Amino acid sequence: MPGKINVLEKAVSERIAAGEVVNNPASVVKELVENSVDAGATNITIEIERGGKGLIRVIDNGEGIEAEDIQRAFLRHATSKISSAQDLDRLCTLGFRGEALASVAAISMVSLTTRTRTSISGTVYSLEGGRETEYRETGCPEGTCIEVRELFYNTPARLEFLKTDSYEASLVSDIVTRLALSKPDISFRLTSNGRVLLNTPGSGSLRDVLAAVYGRDTLENMLPVKCEGQGIIINGFISKPHGARSNRGMQTFFVNGRYIRSKIITQALEEAYRTLLMVNRYPVALLNIALDTGVIDINVHPSKLEIRFREEARIRSFTYNCIRTNLERGRWIAPGIIKGTHSSALPQTVHRQWSPSGSTQTHGDEGQNYRLSEETIEYNRIEMDNIIEGDNGKIPYMKIVGQFMSTFLLAEGEECVYIIDQHAAHERIMYEQLTEDIIKGGAASQKLLEPLVIDMGPVELEMLRANTKQLSAIGFEMEEFGTNSIAVRAVPVYFGKPQSAEFLSDLAAGLSRQNEISHDGLKQDEIIKRACKKAVKANQRLSEQEMQSLLEQLRKAKMPYSCPHGRPVFIALTRYELEKMFKRIV
Ligand code: ADP
Ligand code: MG
């Protein structure tokens, strides 16, 4: 039988993005695991020792390599995955460069044991620094086991470049995690010096992989997303805002099943969380993006970690809209107690769906597993029979009990008590209203009987100049007056109350302190946020009617759960949690 692996013609290999594929143990693991995936494996075991410097062993149950192909597999540009330049435009496999085995073999001691389903016996093939040392028949299970020992043993300069064993092991774990997330139907097992770091079931459910990788608690704080249109399909999971992290380490994107890094997707994702996260908080996300192979170019980066989108703007806006829509639909009142384990022993009443609308269509074929995880506590799915008229169904039924500390409202729900931060609530309402007014053509503004003259320094004045347009959009009318002062002619009106012009001098002073001068000034959104913050009064006693009206307005908000700076508006304490605290249940 003729072999499957061929050395690419020069004309084809020259078209493949040049560059070294192997620079650390993680990059070796990535290449080897991708080969196992391409070979159709359903079980992949990865074992490393000394962070992968001593040993990397990848065992799969894939299709194996024909005996006569083995030597060729280690030649440069030898691959079974493509044969012509046109194939580069319609890649379905993770590999295609035909360089990994050759590159790895050149700088380590490699031993490959493999058997295809149809052959009676397997083959062992070993090399040292790229030179063959062994080639013989052996008995072995179907599939491939490849061992890479003493990475960079013959290139001491590159060996020196490696970091500590534990750091290199963490990079290996990171890449295996992402590969595992990209293939829920493959079971991955990673051990480092014999210790299990990762074990995924290979059940085909993304929920199961997420739970195995990030834990049940993280999964509980995620919302499923699914969008389709314009030749793009996105599905996956994103965190509820309170599930955000302090770095981007838990953002993973796949395009057509391939793990990639992408500024465009990252930006679209984070833009969609605007006003929902505090500073330096980043959403957790796992997004599978399926596109026509013709609109991406994978052949731009040696490790294929970056790809080129032919229509960046379309991908960006589709991704943004998909995530934003799913967030607007989602429900996520923050838990009052963020603790390690959620109880599955919760009384049945709390498990019932809060409101079935909105999220059902996003489950898709994950429905089966979705039901499973509902057995654990979910603050965002609390029974809601009493939906109030005109309300968008985001906030469950609650009755206000009262105000305390002139700062918080206490409300009673069916199986929960809620605490509302009146300041945050107010800011959110005002933010949404002001934004809408500006979109509709301008916020309400009131002329002053006499212009108010404010003196300021030259830098402060410059700050205001840069923001004139944005300030006029929120309702300030002003002009320069003399050398170092401005005359304010009109101020914004929020909820029927004219605002003070003090905001202008505070803004100018704040910006000049931060040295934030920029030609175009701040983003409109930033000005709105600052104006809202300023307009809302802390420590204010509210009448019963004012409390009621605050809650009613909140019910109409698109994103009622956080203030525009990302702080929570509500927290919920369930009966179960209260009973736990009072030791009624142990
Ligand atoms: P590429 O993956 O780009 O084709 P590699 O150098 O990684 O190049 O691998 C060369 C060839 O060796 C592959 O095309 C494939 O035919 C074969 N091969 C490598 N690893 C495996 C494996 N685990 N199972 C089956 N075949 C494999
Ligand atoms: Mg490969």
Side-chain angles (χ1 to χ4, degrees):
M1 214 208 303
K4 293 200 292 186
I5 301 178
N6 292 300
V7 175
L8 294 172
E9 283 171 32
K10 202 156 178 273
V12 184
S13 65
E14 276 173 350
R15 278 201 42 195
I16 289 174
E20 189 48 69
V21 287
V22 176
N23 41 47
N24 58 10
S27 58
V28 175
V29 169
K30 174 177 188 287
E31 293 295 333
L32 299 180
V33 173
E34 286 187 347
N35 280 344
S36 299
V37 171
D38 284 343
T42 55
N43 254 296
I44 304 175
T45 301
I46 303 107
E47 296 164 10
I48 59 168
E49 278 167 24
R50 289 200 288 116
K53 297 172 192 170
L55 169 75
I56 296 169
R57 181 186 290 130
V58 177
I59 307 162
D60 69 48
N61 64 348
E63 66 182 12
I65 307 176
E66 304 276 357
E68 72 225 68
D69 263 344
I70 292 176
Q71 283 155 308
R72 219 172 305 133
F74 285 87
L75 298 178
R76 234 164 245 288
H77 304 301
T79 179
S80 56
K81 299 167 194 175
I82 64 169
S83 55
S84 70
Q86 288 92 292
D87 291 342
L88 283 172
D89 296 326
R90 41 169 191 251
L91 290 166
C92 301
T93 51
L94 296 174
F96 59 87
R97 302 164 50 93
E99 283 187 306
L101 292 188
S103 305
V104 173
I107 41 87
S108 65
M109 303 186 188
V110 172
S111 177
L112 178 104
T113 310
T114 185
R115 182 170 75 80
T116 62
R117 173 175 307 195
T118 49
S119 28
I120 316 153
S121 63
T123 312
V124 181
Y125 184 62
S126 307
L127 310 94
E128 273 184 36
R131 273 178 305 106
E132 179 179 317
T133 56
E134 189 183 21
Y135 179 58
R136 62 174 170 82
E137 238 182 71
T138 189
C140 67
E142 194 184 319
T144 302
C145 168
I146 181 161
E147 287 179 359
V148 177
R149 288 178 195 275
E150 304 304 324
L151 192 65
F152 298 141
Y153 81 101
N154 54 357
T155 52
R158 294 174 71 186
L159 184 61
E160 221 166 281
F161 213 68
L162 296 181
K163 309 280 186 337
T164 61
D165 292 359
S166 62
Y167 182 73
E168 294 295 343
S170 73
L171 296 181
V172 169
S173 170
D174 186 71
I175 191 70
V176 175
T177 299
R178 310 220 192 229
L179 289 163
L181 286 167
S182 76
K183 303 285 169 201
D185 45 356
I186 301 178
S187 166
F188 288 80
R189 185 184 159 86
L190 168 66
T191 64
S192 171
N193 298 332
R195 205 163 62 88
V196 180
L197 297 186
L198 181 79
N199 202 347
T200 67
S203 64
S205 146
L206 193 49
R207 276 182 184 274
D208 288 351
V209 195
L210 277 169
V213 168
Y214 293 143
R216 285 257 155 226
D217 286 331
T218 303
L219 182 59
E220 294 299 336
N221 283 326
M222 308 272 279
L223 299 165
V225 290
K226 188 163 195 168
C227 287
E228 195 172 339
Q230 302 173 30
I232 309 171
I233 301 173
I234 296 184
N235 72 60
F237 288 86
I238 54 174
S239 56
K240 293 171 194 168
H242 62 257
R245 304 292 157 130
S246 57
N247 62 52
R248 296 192 174 90
M250 284 161 83
Q251 296 180 356
T252 309
F253 313 128
F254 304 109
V255 169
N256 294 348
R258 182 187 303 277
Y259 166 54
I260 56 137
R261 296 191 198 128
S262 163
K263 268 218 179 76
I264 291 167
I265 309 290
T266 309
Q267 283 166 359
L269 170 73
E270 292 179 4
E271 179 62 13
Y273 277 80
R274 199 159 44 103
T275 80
L276 301 179
L277 300 179
M278 309 223 311
V279 281
N280 299 327
R281 302 295 287 172
Y282 304 92
V284 180
L286 184 133
L287 299 177
N288 274 301
I289 304 173
L291 293 164
D292 185 26
T293 49
V295 301
I296 48 171
D297 190 354
I298 298 155
N299 184 24
V300 292
H301 187 265
S303 328
K304 300 158 289 185
L305 272 170
E306 276 156 36
I307 61 170
R308 189 180 297 133
F309 294 108
R310 301 250 151 87
E311 290 175 65
E312 290 189 355
R314 185 159 65 104
I315 306 284
R316 184 188 283 124
S317 74
F318 187 84
T319 308
Y320 167 82
N321 285 321
C322 166
I323 293 168
R324 189 75 186 174
T325 314
N326 278 280
L327 281 170
E328 283 181 3
R329 238 191 247 144
R331 293 167 168 81
W332 63 74
I333 289 182
I337 304 172
I338 299 167
K339 56 181 176 355
T341 47
H342 283 146
S343 167
S344 51
L346 205 69
Q348 276 303 313
T349 48
V350 188
H351 299 166
R352 283 177 290 163
Q353 288 276 113
W354 165 8
S355 160
S357 69
S359 52
T360 36
Q361 76 182 84
T362 59
H363 302 163
D365 49 11
E366 296 279 330
Q368 213 59 35
N369 305 292
Y370 198 62
R371 234 163 283 139
L372 247 178
S373 79
E374 264 170 18
E375 279 163 33
T376 53
I377 182 164
E378 287 259 338
Y379 298 88
N380 59 331
R381 282 195 228 139
I382 288 158
E383 173 81 16
M384 191 167 110
D385 289 329
N386 306 308
I387 297 179
I388 287 151
E389 278 244 345
D391 135 34
N392 58 20
K394 287 201 172 138
I395 302 172
Y397 164 77
M398 61 180 77
K399 192 177 98 215
I400 292 181
V401 177
Q403 184 192 33
F404 61 97
M405 297 172 179
S406 298
T407 307
F408 303 107
L409 310 187
L410 185 69
E412 180 186 357
E414 302 258 304
E415 280 294 314
C416 276
V417 296
Y418 299 94
I419 299 170
I420 302 165
D421 180 328
Q422 71 189 48
H423 190 272
H426 216 142
E427 260 188 77
R428 166 55 69 182
I429 294 164
M430 188 177 302
Y431 171 84
E432 289 198 6
Q433 190 149 13
L434 206 47
T435 306
E436 210 182 298
D437 288 349
I438 290 171
I439 292 168
K440 281 188 184 150
S445 166
Q446 181 173 315
K447 284 247 183 310
L448 300 177
L449 290 175
E450 260 177 57
L452 182 75
V453 178
I454 309 176
D455 295 330
M456 44 182 71
V459 182
E460 294 174 342
L461 199 58
E462 187 50 40
M463 295 295 169
L464 286 193
R465 258 185 221 126
N467 289 294
T468 314
K469 218 178 76 214
Q470 294 88 317
L471 288 165
S472 104
I474 63 168
F476 281 108
E477 229 176 80
M478 56 190 185
E479 60 192 29
E480 287 183 37
F481 187 77
T483 28
N484 275 337
S485 47
I486 54 157
V488 183
R489 302 205 176 278
V491 293
V493 178
Y494 308 139
F495 305 114
K497 285 193 202 119
Q499 300 299 304
S500 96
E502 203 187 305
F503 173 66
L504 296 176
S505 41
D506 284 2
L507 178 77
L511 290 181
S512 54
R513 253 198 317 279
Q514 289 164 28
N515 219 353
E516 263 187 44
I517 197 149
S518 111
H519 206 66
D520 310 322
L522 295 172
K523 285 194 180 134
Q524 183 69 64
D525 187 59
E526 190 55 35
I527 293 272
I528 299 176
K529 280 201 243 173
R530 287 175 189 236
C532 294
K533 192 168 184 171
K534 177 81 192 171
V536 170
K537 287 190 192 65
N539 287 320
Q540 206 179 11
R541 283 232 70 92
L542 299 179
S543 69
E544 205 163 304
Q545 211 184 358
E546 284 171 319
M547 289 188 251
Q548 213 53 53
S549 133
L550 192 70
L551 186 59
E552 266 158 41
Q553 292 181 66
L554 215 46
R555 288 190 182 281
K556 292 180 194 141
K558 268 197 209 139
M559 297 285 201
Y561 310 111
S562 75
C563 82
H565 307 277
R567 283 187 298 274
V569 167
F570 291 91
I571 59 170
L573 279 172
T574 59
R575 173 192 293 274
Y576 176 77
E577 283 171 330
L578 289 166
E579 288 181 344
K580 265 277 224 225
M581 282 190 266
F582 286 105
K583 311 276 182 229
R584 284 161 171 260
I585 333 174
V586 276

